[in-house]
Amino acid sequence: MLTSYHRGYRWNDDVVEQVTERFGRLVDDPARLQVLWLDALRLSTEEAEARLVEHLTAIDMDSGGGLIISDDPAMAFYLDNRHQFDWPRRVVALGLNSDELRAEAEQVGVRILRSYPVMAQSLNMLIDTFGSPLNLILLGDDTEHGANVLDDLTEVIDALPDVTLIDSITGWDPEQVARRMEQAPPNTRLYMQGGQDSGWVEGEATTESRLKRLAELGHPVFCHFDFQVAIGCAGGAILDVALLAHAAVDVALSPAFELVPSSSSMMAQRRQVDIRWYPLFDGDSILPFEWIGVRGRLEQISSEYRVLLVVVSGIALLSLGAALWLLWSREVNRRRRQRLMVDRRYDIPTLLALETRYQGRRCAELSWVFSLASPALKQYQRRFGSTRLEWLLGINLELLRYHLPAGWKLYLGDDHQLMGVVPSSEGNSDVEALVDSYLSLVSQAQQQRTLHALHWHACVVRIPVQAEDLGTCIKALEEGMERLEREGWVRPTLTVLAVEPYQETWFRWLSRQVGALMDDPGTQWRLVVQPKVSPLDRRLLGVEVLTRWRHPEVGNIEPREFMPVIIMLGLAQRFDRWVVHTALEWVASRPDMQNWLGCVSINVHLSTLMDEAFPDYVARHIRRLELRASVVELELVEHEHFDDIEKVQAQMTRLRELGIGVTLDDFGSGYTAFQLVQRLPLTAIKLDYSLLHAARRFDQARQAYAALAAFCDRLGLKVVAEGVETHEDARWLVTLGIQAGQGYFFARPMELNEMVARYAPGSTGGAAPNHPVVRGWRQADIE
C-alpha cells in the first residue's frame, strides 16, 4: 500500500487501519502487507519522494501481488516512477480528487474506486432534513489538494437543482464564518470539504479548535467523512471507509482483476449526526439518523446529575423546594435517556438500550441472543423509498411483537435488523427450534391478514458463561447473518458461536479446525454419494462422492464454506487423497459392489492432478483393493487457471493409460473450458447445473444447451447433465441423447449405507445392511 502522509493524518490512518484489518482476514500471513509512507506534509515534496525512492530500492515487491494507492500525492508519485520499479500488476486507487490524475491512472490500467457520490447523498440528506431550497457555504483549506476536492463538491452542487452555493471560504476562522452566516439567506448551512483540513496539525488554529468555536456560536458544520466527525463536524451521510478499503483489498487480490471496471463508485452507508445537535432535528418528521456521541452525552448528563446531587444533598434540609426540584430533574434526565434509546418511528428500544441494560452481572439474566433480518427490506427500500419501507416494517413489527414469547424482548439494530434476547428461564431449551416456530407463527399471521410478507431469517447464539457484555455475541450474530447472505438465504435459522474479539474470526476458526482435522478427517468429515442415472430408464450408472462436515458444536458446515479454506491453506492435495482413499475403501468393503455400482466419480483439484505421484497413488490403491480401474473416475473441479496445460495433458494421459476416467466438471461455467475440452484426453464432461436452469426459462439458452451436448457428442465425450429437478428436464435430456443425469429429481445426496440399501441387488429399500466403512486414515495410507 502506498499512502502520502505520515501517521496522524486521519484519512490515511483510517484507510490503512481498514486495509490492514481486511488483509489480515483474507490471508494467512498479515506481514505480507507493506505500507509505504510518502511523508509529503512534514517534508518537502522533493525530499519526501527521494526518501521513498531510496526505500523502494532497498526492498523487494511481489509483481504478482496488488498495490493500493490512497490519495493524489501517492498516485502522482506512482505515475512518475511507474517504470522505475517492478510494481505489482494489479493497482487499485481510492481517495483521488484530481481529474487529471484519475484520467492518467485509468489510461495505465489502474482500477479507481470513486467515493465522491457520497457528497450528493450527504447534500440530499440535508435537503430531506431542512427542506429546499438549501443554501450552502463551503469551508475548505487553501491547498492545491483542497482546491481539487472543492471542485468536485462544486460539480455535485451544480447537478442538484435544490442546492445553491452561496459562498466558498478557504483558510477560514470562526468569527469570519459567523459574520458571513448573519448575511446569508434563510436555510443556509455550513459544509466542510475533505482536503488536508483534517486537524492533523497542532496548536490553537487547528480545524478541531475552530469547529469547536463554531459549535459554541451555534453553527453546525456538516461533512461526509468519519475523520471530520471525529474532530467536531456535526455529521452527514458518511462514507463507509471500511467498505471502501475492503473493496480495494478485494480488487487488489482478485484473480479476476482484469474484469473489474476501470472506475467504480462507492456510496455512503449511514446517516450520522452528533447528539449535540439533537434539538436541531427534533420533531415529528425526524429522519432515521444514527446518533453518535450518545454515550458521551449520557455520561455528561449522568456526571452533571452526580455533581448536582452532591451539591443539593448538602442543602437538602434547608429547602424542601430544592429537594422537589432535584427529584424533578432526575425524572427529566431519566426520560431523556429513555428517549435517546428508543426509535420513535416504531416505538421500539434500540441496540444501544440493549447494550446499556445488559452489562456486567446483568448478562446472567439472559441465556440466548438472536437477530432477525429480512433480505427483502433493502430491495423494498430501493424500489418504494424510505417512507413506504417504514410503513411495511412498522406493521410487521406489530406482528413480531404480538407473537413474541413471554419474557423475550426485541430491539432495533442497524440496517433494520432486529435483535432479541431470551431470558435465562428458558434454560437449555432448543432455542433455534423455538425461534423457527416463532417465525412460522408470524408468517401465518401475515398470510391471514393478506399483508406483504417479509420472510425473516434468524441467527441465534448462546451467551458464554464468562460473558460480562453482549459485544462478542452481537459480533457473532453479524458474522452469522453474513454467512446466511453468502449462502443465498437458503436456510431460515443458523446457530453460531460467540468468541472473544481477540480470539479469532469465523475464517480463522475454520482455518484452525481444518488444519487440525487433516490429521484425522474421519472424526468429523464423512462421505456421501449422489447417484448418476440414465434419464431414459432410471438405470444406475454411477455415483459422485461428496464430503460433509458435522461439527460437534456448530453443527453442519457447508462445503461452500470450508472448501475455499482447504484450498487457501494449501491442503487440497491431502484432502483429495483422503477422499480417494476413503471412497475406494468403501467400494472394496462389499465384494460385489463394483459390479452394480457403476463408475465412482471423485472430485480432485488442479494442484492434486499436477502432483507427479498422484496417478501412481490412485493406481496403487486400485491394485491393493483388487478393483477395476474403470470403476474410478476423477472429476477436475478447477479449470479457470491453467499455467501449464501441457503438464495437465500429460498427467491425464497417464491416468487414461491406467484405465482411469477423467471428467471436466462444471463445463460451460468458465471461458477456458472450451479450449480444454479440445486438448485434454477426457472421457466425459458435466454440463453445469446453471445451464439447465437457464434452459427452463429462455429459448436461446435451451438451444445453446442442445448445441453444447451435440458439440461434446461430436468429440466422443460422454455427457452428464447436472441439476435435473423435474420430469420435464429428464424427458428433454432423453431427446438430446444425453447419457447420464444427476439431480434432485433422481436422488439427493445420501449416506453410504443408504446407497447400498437402496440400489444393491436384492435390496428392498429397508434398513441398510452392515458393512465396514473406513472412518479414519493415516498418513502412511496415502503416501
Side-chain angles (χ1 to χ4, degrees):
M1 180 176 180
L2 179 62
T3 185
S4 296
Y5 305 128
H6 60 82
R7 296 169 180 84
Y9 183 58
R10 297 178 189 269
W11 162 260
N12 298 69
D13 283 356
D14 288 352
V15 174
V16 170
E17 179 183 357
Q18 294 299 332
V19 166
T20 303
E21 187 272 340
R22 181 63 173 176
F23 188 84
R25 291 177 59 185
L26 294 181
V27 303
D28 54 357
D29 183 12
R32 290 166 54 192
L33 174 66
Q34 298 186 60
V35 181
L36 307 175
W37 301 87
L38 177 64
D39 197 350
L41 285 182
R42 296 186 184 273
L43 306 175
S44 66
T45 302
E46 294 76 15
E47 184 177 0
E49 291 186 355
R51 290 192 180 186
L52 184 55
V53 167
E54 181 180 356
H55 180 66
L56 288 171
T57 305
I59 66 174
D60 294 325
M61 286 187 290
D62 181 7
S63 61
L67 172 65
I68 299 175
I69 299 176
S70 72
D71 44 35
D72 286 0
M75 176 55 72
F77 176 86
Y78 168 78
L79 294 173
D80 291 340
N81 297 272
R82 191 165 63 89
H83 301 295
Q84 185 173 348
F85 301 98
D86 189 18
W87 298 95
R89 292 189 295 273
R90 298 191 293 267
V91 184
V92 186
L94 62 158
L96 300 187
N97 296 291
S98 169
D99 291 335
E100 292 78 10
L101 285 176
R102 282 197 291 259
E104 187 175 353
E106 288 184 10
Q107 289 179 358
V108 300
V110 177
R111 301 301 188 264
I112 298 176
L113 301 181
R114 309 180 71 169
S115 60
Y116 71 76
V118 74
M119 302 176 189
Q121 251 189 316
S122 197
L123 295 181
N124 282 323
M125 188 201 86
L126 298 183
I127 295 173
D128 293 340
T129 305
F130 300 113
S132 60
L134 176 69
N135 302 310
L136 279 187
I137 294 178
L138 300 183
L139 306 181
D141 59 65
D142 49 6
T143 64
E144 179 182 356
H145 182 61
N148 289 330
V149 179
L150 197 61
D151 288 343
D152 279 345
L153 190 51
T154 303
E155 291 178 8
V156 173
I157 293 173
D158 292 338
L160 297 175
D162 294 328
V163 183
T164 302
L165 180 60
I166 301 301
D167 200 359
S168 298
I169 306 176
T170 58
W172 52 276
D173 65 79
E175 281 68 23
Q176 173 193 10
V177 174
R179 290 192 298 271
R180 186 67 183 88
M181 285 292 289
E182 293 175 358
Q183 304 167 2
N187 203 26
T188 297
R189 307 293 165 182
L190 298 176
Y191 201 99
M192 192 172 82
Q193 50 98 331
Q196 296 175 0
D197 210 357
S198 59
W200 70 275
V201 297
E202 299 175 354
E204 292 296 324
T206 62
T207 307
E208 187 170 3
S209 64
R210 290 182 288 160
L211 288 171
K212 181 179 179 181
R213 177 57 181 158
L214 274 179
E216 294 171 353
L217 295 173
H219 297 300
V221 180
F222 297 94
C223 61
H224 53 267
F225 286 118
D226 267 329
F227 65 75
Q228 294 172 309
V229 175
I231 61 174
C233 281
I238 302 301
L239 174 70
D240 192 336
V241 177
L243 178 65
L244 187 65
H246 290 186
V249 174
D250 293 343
V251 173
L253 296 180
S254 173
F257 179 82
E258 299 299 328
L259 302 179
V260 177
S262 60
S263 180
S264 305
S265 295
M266 308 297 292
M267 304 298 287
Q269 296 299 304
R270 58 195 186 278
R271 294 176 171 181
Q272 289 188 334
V273 178
D274 195 294
I275 196 64
R276 292 177 302 166
W277 304 104
Y278 185 84
L280 188 65
F281 300 86
D282 203 2
D284 296 334
S285 60
I286 188 170
L287 292 176
F289 297 122
E290 175 186 346
W291 296 102
I292 58 177
V294 175
R295 292 186 184 278
R297 180 58 180 155
L298 293 178
E299 290 174 1
Q300 180 184 357
I301 293 172
S302 179
S303 177
E304 292 172 355
Y305 171 73
R306 287 195 299 269
V307 172
L308 184 62
L309 179 62
V310 171
V311 174
V312 174
S313 63
I315 61 173
L317 297 177
L318 301 178
S319 174
L320 179 60
L324 294 175
W325 181 87
L326 176 62
L327 294 175
W328 174 81
S329 175
R330 182 175 182 178
E331 178 64 17
V332 169
N333 284 327
R334 185 185 66 81
R335 292 183 180 182
R336 186 185 301 175
R337 289 172 64 92
Q338 291 180 344
R339 185 182 182 191
L340 290 173
M341 293 187 290
V342 173
D343 192 296
R344 292 189 298 166
R345 296 168 298 172
Y346 312 109
D347 191 28
I348 184 173
T350 64
L351 185 59
L352 178 62
L354 171 64
E355 295 174 332
T356 302
R357 176 175 176 81
Y358 297 106
Q359 292 183 356
R361 296 180 179 178
R362 296 295 298 271
C363 276
E365 299 176 13
L366 306 176
S367 60
W368 291 79
V369 184
F370 63 91
S371 62
L372 304 176
S374 175
L377 280 176
K378 291 182 180 179
Q379 300 175 2
Y380 201 87
Q381 183 175 24
R382 286 195 297 267
R383 188 173 180 182
F384 299 106
S386 298
T387 303
R388 186 74 174 176
L389 173 69
E390 292 174 10
W391 169 82
L392 176 64
L393 185 59
I395 59 176
N396 276 268
L397 273 173
E398 291 181 12
L399 292 175
L400 287 168
R401 286 188 284 196
Y402 179 79
H403 293 283
L404 195 67
W408 295 26
K409 295 181 180 179
L410 284 180
Y411 298 84
L412 183 64
D414 299 332
D415 295 330
H416 302 104
Q417 285 194 17
L418 297 173
M419 303 292 297
V421 294
V422 180
S424 56
S425 58
E426 292 288 355
N428 296 321
S429 303
D430 187 354
V431 173
E432 181 176 348
L434 293 177
V435 171
D436 192 48
S437 300
Y438 163 57
L439 295 181
S440 297
L441 284 175
V442 173
S443 178
Q444 293 173 11
Q446 287 176 327
Q447 295 173 7
Q448 293 173 0
R449 295 176 57 175
T450 65
L451 296 175
H452 183 87
L454 284 179
H455 300 289
W456 294 93
H457 296 258
C459 277
V460 295
V461 59
R462 180 185 289 277
I463 299 178
V465 177
Q466 71 279 9
E468 295 183 356
D469 62 73
L470 300 180
T472 57
C473 297
I474 293 174
K475 182 177 178 63
L477 291 175
E478 290 173 351
E479 292 186 353
M481 281 299 177
E482 292 176 0
R483 286 173 57 190
L484 288 178
E485 184 174 8
R486 289 196 303 269
E487 293 174 3
W489 306 100
V490 295
R491 44 180 163 173
T493 58
L494 171 67
T495 301
V496 294
L497 291 176
V499 295
E500 294 296 332
Y502 57 82
Q503 287 182 334
E504 53 193 347
T505 62
W506 172 249
F507 172 79
R508 292 191 179 279
W509 183 88
L510 273 179
S511 300
R512 182 168 58 83
Q513 296 291 323
V514 167
L517 273 177
M518 288 310 300
D519 292 329
D520 192 5
T523 57
Q524 295 181 23
W525 287 339
R526 72 185 190 282
L527 299 185
V528 299
V529 291
Q530 185 174 24
K532 299 179 184 179
V533 304
S534 168
L536 179 62
D537 54 13
R538 308 287 182 88
R539 180 170 47 88
L540 179 67
L541 300 178
V543 295
E544 179 182 3
V545 177
L546 305 170
T547 309
R548 295 293 182 263
W549 184 359
R550 174 71 179 179
H551 192 274
E553 297 177 357
V554 178
N556 291 325
I557 301 177
E558 296 293 323
R560 66 170 67 94
E561 293 189 77
F562 67 82
M563 286 307 305
V565 176
I566 291 176
I567 296 172
M568 291 183 65
L569 295 178
L571 299 174
Q573 294 187 42
R574 291 184 62 188
F575 176 81
D576 289 347
R577 287 193 172 204
W578 172 77
V579 174
V580 170
H581 169 86
T582 308
L584 295 184
E585 289 278 1
W586 171 65
V587 175
S589 65
R590 182 172 170 131
D592 64 331
M593 190 179 302
Q594 60 178 319
N595 297 326
W596 57 264
L597 185 62
C599 187
V600 179
S601 298
I602 304 173
N603 295 325
V604 296
H605 295 83
L606 182 60
S607 60
T608 303
L609 184 65
M610 296 289 279
D611 181 10
E612 291 284 351
F614 181 68
D616 293 335
Y617 166 79
V618 180
R620 187 167 63 251
H621 272 285
I622 291 174
R623 290 193 300 269
R624 179 177 63 84
L625 298 171
E626 298 181 352
L627 300 175
R628 295 192 305 274
S630 59
V631 172
V632 182
E633 184 178 63
L634 303 178
E635 290 190 13
L636 183 60
V637 296
E638 294 176 287
H639 49 77
E640 289 298 326
H641 305 288
F642 276 69
D643 296 327
D644 190 352
I645 191 170
E646 286 76 15
K647 184 173 181 180
V648 174
Q649 186 177 13
Q651 289 288 89
M652 286 189 177
T653 300
R654 290 178 59 193
L655 291 168
R656 291 294 306 277
E657 291 172 350
L658 293 169
I660 300 169
V662 183
T663 297
L664 190 65
D665 197 8
D666 298 331
F667 180 72
S669 64
Y671 296 106
T672 60
F674 285 96
Q675 302 175 15
L676 300 177
V677 78
Q678 300 174 64
R679 297 189 57 181
L680 300 180
L682 300 167
T683 53
I685 62 101
K686 293 182 72 173
L687 293 180
D688 188 67
Y689 72 94
S690 62
L691 300 178
L692 187 55
H693 287 195
R696 297 192 193 109
R697 301 175 55 193
F698 307 109
D699 183 65
Q700 188 172 356
R702 195 174 181 88
Q703 296 178 22
Y705 195 95
L708 283 176
F711 169 71
C712 296
D713 183 64
R714 290 286 299 274
L715 295 177
L717 299 174
K718 183 178 70 174
V719 178
V720 181
E722 289 184 308
V724 184
E725 297 180 355
T726 66
H727 182 66
E728 289 73 19
D729 288 345
R731 287 195 304 175
W732 184 55
L733 295 177
V734 171
T735 65
L736 298 181
I738 289 180
Q739 301 94 324
Q742 185 177 349
Y744 285 180
F745 175 70
F746 298 125
R748 292 174 176 267
M750 61 186 67
E751 302 295 333
L752 302 181
N753 55 357
E754 182 184 355
M755 176 70 196
V756 174
R758 180 178 299 186
Y759 289 98
S763 63
T764 60
N770 296 325
H771 62 277
V773 177
V774 179
R775 296 188 54 80
W777 63 295
R778 300 170 300 169
Q779 185 67 24
D781 294 329
I782 65 166
E783 293 298 334

